[in-house]
């Protein structure tokens, strides 16, 4: 197993603190410390002072002071800064990949090939998108006036990001906000702040002005709630569980601010009886186990039409058994630990309770031996659970896939929709009409056909129902981070307008 102490190249720089305010690292002032723990070993790799309310106030003040200058920059100037930002990230890619693997337990091949390249691409995308923030073209819609629409930044954005994809979530929050001319204060999860701090540091290195990007690392109850409720924060964007999202909404509503919520998921994976079974089995294992299942779009509920059901269960279990758990920094590792021992125990609890009403086909345990000290859990397949059971309805956030059979297409789609969530889904079929029907009728913000998980910067990400509202990524995200202003010019130069007679005088 790797030595945690030698895997974090930026550790000396971050000794200055885990708060990034007005272009510099500083220590928190809450009076409480927190440890970042390598979940593969249980070793503490970074200890820092948590943010208090005063740190949030300082970060918001820095963002507010930077807003007029950054909002007043031309689209070309903001675009150039973001292009430089992407270049700095590319130069530091290995540092980001190692820090992300260390704090999250992700295999290095995942951070090198998915998290970091995806973040660089997202930055480059928004560098281009920053030049295309226009409203509707001018027109004389009333006949006597010319109207046009301005798209303007909102102000200071206060965002809260989760621990499962710390780097990518920092990017998804920060990039559309600043590309649109806003400034931002980001609160990352206190478990995994390292790459969010490195991301803010890279923004400064790219020449983005001090105060445009700020990071406060504290607890949700103290730093998070104060940020969401801050009167100088004009918008809140939150990614996390539905339960916490409801609390964020309550706090944000009290100050009548713009709100964007990307919440939980329980993605269905619907396999029709004409599907390519090899593709479906490979897709199910990859889609269920990516990031050790800690992905709100992960395949968690596989509905398989009855003629394929037994073979799908057997082949999926066999493929899961080939997945290699191990040191995230070892070349042969496929799956790392969960983010913490607490999360591992939470996942194990779901599976243990399911044994009373379902069949655990494979997995369902923590490995022993060399991996015993880490937060590892074996890839797990559960079959024969009832649709209304806990393991089918609740978000587990671990390497667990539950499989259920269905008979008719109507039943399969109805079962797919039968949860409170609606973030992502997939449909597996060789029949274009069948697949098209699934994309129309499954209630989710993203529906893949014959694949599950891929995301691209050009397309939006966001949910239906209890999975929240609003979009990350793509130009659709600008709808969250801009406000629309109608401007109307009189073209007549007439002092007394015809419509004035409705208030005084006659025609």
């Amino acid at each position: 197993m790797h030595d945690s102490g030698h895997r974090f190249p930026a550790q000396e720089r971050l000794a200055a603190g885990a708060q990034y305010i007005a272009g510099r690292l500083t220590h928190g002032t809450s009076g409480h410390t927190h440890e970042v723990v390598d979940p593969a070993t249980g070793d503490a790799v970074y200890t820092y002072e948590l943010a208090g309310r005063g740190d949030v106030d300082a970060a918001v003040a820095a963002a507010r002071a930077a807003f007029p200058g950054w909002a007043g920059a031309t689209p070309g100037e903001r675009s150039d800064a973001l292009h430089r930002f992407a270049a700095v990230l590319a130069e530091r890619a290995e540092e980001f990949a190692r820090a992300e693997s260390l704090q999250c337990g992700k295999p290095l091949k995942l951070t090198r090939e998915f998290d970091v390249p995806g973040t660089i691409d997202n930055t480059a995308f928004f560098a281009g998108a920053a030049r295309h923030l226009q409203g509707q073209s001018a027109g004389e819609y009333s006949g006597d006036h010319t109207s046009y629409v301005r798209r303007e930044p909102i102000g200071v954005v206060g965002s809260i990001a989760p621990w499962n994809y710390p780097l990518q979530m920092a990017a998804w929050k920060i990039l559309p906000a600043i590309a649109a001319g806003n400034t931002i204060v980001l609160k990352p999860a206190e478990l995994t702040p390292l790459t969010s701090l490195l991301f803010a540091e890279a923004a400064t290195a790219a020449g983005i002005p001090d105060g445009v990007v700020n990071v406060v690392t504290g607890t949700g109850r103290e730093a998070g709630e104060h940020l969401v409720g801050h009167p100088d924060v004009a918008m809140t964007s939150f990614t996390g569980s539905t339960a916490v999202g409801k609390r964020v909404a309550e706090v944000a509503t009290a100050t009548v601010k713009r709100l964007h919520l990307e919440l939980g998921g329980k993605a269905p994976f619907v396999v029709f009886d004409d599907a390519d079974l090899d593709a479906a089995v490979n897709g199910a294992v990859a889609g269920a186990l990516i990031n050790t299942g800690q992905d709100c779009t992960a395949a968690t509920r596989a509905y398989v039409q009855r003629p394929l059901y037994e073979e799908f269960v057997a082949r999926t279990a066999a493929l899961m058994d080939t997945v290699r758990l191990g040191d995230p920094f070892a070349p042969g590792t496929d799956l790392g630990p969960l983010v913490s021992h607490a999360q591992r125990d939470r996942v194990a609890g779901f599976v243990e309770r399911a044994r009373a009403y379902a069949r655990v086909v494979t997995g369902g345990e923590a490995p022993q031996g060399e991996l015993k000290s880490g937060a590892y859990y074996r890839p797990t397949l559960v079959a024969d659970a009832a649709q209304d059971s806990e393991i089918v309805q609740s978000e587990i956030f671990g390497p667990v896939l539950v499989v259920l059979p269905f008979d008719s297409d109507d039943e399969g789609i109805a079962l797919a929709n039968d949860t409170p969530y609606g973030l992502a889904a997939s449909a597996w079929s060789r029949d274009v009409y069948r697949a098209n029907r699934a994309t129309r009728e499954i209630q989710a913000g993203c529906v893949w056909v014959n694949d599950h998980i891929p995301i691209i910067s050009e397309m939006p990400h966001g949910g239906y129902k209890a999975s929240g509202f609003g979009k990350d990524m793509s130009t659709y995200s600008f709808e969250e981070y801009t406000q629309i202003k109608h401007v109307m010019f009189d073209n007549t130069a007439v002092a007394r307008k015809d419509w004035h007679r409705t208030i005084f005088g006659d025609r």
Side-chain angles (χ1 to χ4, degrees):
M1 186 63 69
H2 67 264
D3 177 0
S4 302
H6 298 293
R7 300 287 179 166
F8 180 20
Q11 193 158 10
E12 290 185 8
R13 293 207 310 276
L14 295 190
Q19 319 305 324
Y20 197 82
I21 300 172
R24 68 183 184 91
L25 289 161
T26 185
H27 295 291
T29 61
S30 70
H32 302 286
T33 58
H34 194 274
E35 290 182 339
V36 176
V37 173
D38 175 358
T41 64
D43 297 336
V45 296
Y46 179 60
T47 302
Y48 65 93
E49 296 85 355
L50 289 161
R53 291 168 64 94
D55 302 306
V56 173
D57 290 339
V60 171
R64 188 178 182 190
F67 175 70
W70 185 246
T74 67
E77 289 168 339
R78 291 199 293 267
S79 175
D80 289 347
L82 286 165
H83 278 299
R84 295 193 303 270
F85 193 8
V88 172
L89 295 173
E91 290 168 3
R92 301 180 181 183
E94 183 66 10
E95 178 178 80
F96 276 98
R98 288 182 171 273
E100 194 79 333
S101 289
L102 185 66
Q103 67 179 352
C104 299
K106 298 170 185 274
L108 197 56
K109 67 177 181 179
L110 179 64
T111 59
R112 281 175 173 165
E113 298 175 27
F114 184 77
D115 297 66
V116 175
T119 300
I120 295 169
D121 181 75
N122 213 229
T123 308
F125 170 80
F126 278 106
R131 289 181 176 266
H132 299 283
L133 271 165
Q134 63 269 348
Q136 190 172 350
S137 299
E140 285 70 46
Y141 299 99
S142 77
D144 291 338
H145 305 82
T146 296
S147 288
Y148 67 87
V149 169
R150 290 179 55 85
R151 188 181 289 276
E152 298 178 345
I154 295 172
V156 176
V157 177
S159 290
I160 299 177
W163 47 256
N164 58 332
Y165 289 102
L167 176 59
Q168 287 195 312
M169 294 299 98
W172 287 17
K173 299 301 183 194
I174 290 169
L175 294 172
I178 68 172
N182 301 287
T183 56
I184 189 167
V185 178
L186 173 75
K187 193 202 86 66
E190 57 267 35
L191 286 175
T192 55
L194 304 182
T195 47
S196 298
L197 294 165
L198 297 180
F199 193 72
E201 189 184 53
T204 298
I208 292 174
D210 293 349
V212 172
V213 177
N214 307 274
V215 176
V216 290
T217 310
T219 65
R221 186 170 296 279
E222 184 167 5
E225 291 208 6
H226 189 50
L227 178 62
V228 172
H230 201 289
D232 291 335
V233 169
M235 176 193 165
T236 290
S237 178
F238 170 80
T239 296
S241 71
T242 298
V244 178
K246 290 177 181 178
R247 175 59 184 162
V248 169
E250 289 174 2
V251 176
T253 300
T255 51
V256 197
K257 52 173 53 78
R258 181 82 65 92
L259 184 62
H260 165 219
L261 298 174
E262 198 265 89
L263 306 176
K266 189 72 177 174
F269 186 101
V270 184
V271 183
F272 294 100
D273 57 15
D274 67 335
D276 180 331
L277 189 58
D278 282 340
V281 168
N282 280 278
V285 174
L289 299 185
I290 187 170
N291 202 35
T292 318
Q294 298 165 126
D295 186 312
C296 50
T297 63
T300 57
R301 299 179 290 139
Y303 296 102
V304 183
Q305 207 149 23
R306 204 169 293 276
L308 298 182
Y309 177 72
E310 293 296 343
E311 189 175 0
F312 178 92
V313 169
R315 290 174 62 173
T316 299
L319 184 56
M320 276 189 170
D321 288 342
T322 70
V323 173
R324 300 165 296 181
L325 277 70
D327 181 349
F329 291 90
T333 295
D334 296 322
L335 201 69
L338 286 101
V339 73
S340 67
H341 288 78
Q343 181 64 14
R344 190 270 313 272
D345 294 345
R346 179 180 180 275
V347 170
F350 277 102
V351 178
E352 289 308 307
R353 291 189 295 274
R355 293 183 191 276
Y357 56 80
R359 174 167 55 107
V360 178
V361 182
T362 191
E365 62 183 5
Q368 299 301 305
E370 187 183 19
L371 302 181
K372 185 177 181 180
S373 61
Y376 290 88
Y377 197 75
R378 293 195 184 282
T380 300
L381 185 68
V382 177
D384 306 334
Q387 173 66 13
D388 62 355
S389 62
E390 178 191 50
I391 205 160
V392 174
Q393 292 293 326
S394 299
E395 187 174 33
I396 299 170
F397 232 55
V400 179
L401 175 66
V402 58
V403 189
L404 296 87
F406 69 92
D407 292 304
S408 69
D409 289 16
D410 288 349
E411 182 189 12
I413 292 172
L415 290 170
N417 287 332
D418 184 28
T419 69
Y421 301 107
L423 188 58
S426 62
W428 298 75
S429 173
R430 291 184 173 97
D431 185 327
V432 65
Y433 299 103
R434 213 175 200 181
N436 245 331
R437 179 193 175 189
T439 65
R440 289 193 310 271
E441 296 185 13
I442 292 176
Q443 298 160 359
C446 174
V447 181
W448 294 284
V449 176
N450 296 328
D451 207 344
H452 195 107
I453 283 297
I455 54 174
I456 50 175
S457 297
E458 292 82 358
M459 289 291 112
H461 176 88
Y464 286 24
K465 303 190 293 187
S467 291
F469 47 82
K471 300 298 178 184
D472 288 308
M473 298 201 300
S474 82
T475 55
Y476 288 97
S477 65
F478 287 143
E479 301 300 323
E480 316 305 325
Y481 293 99
T482 56
Q483 49 197 356
I484 301 302
K485 178 185 288 180
H486 171 214
V487 178
M488 196 173 198
F489 279 87
D490 171 59
N491 293 330
T492 67
V494 173
R496 183 158 178 166
K497 308 293 193 294
D498 185 55
W499 72 268
H500 292 177
R501 64 187 169 80
T502 61
I503 311 302
F504 53 86
D506 299 316
R507 186 185 292 276

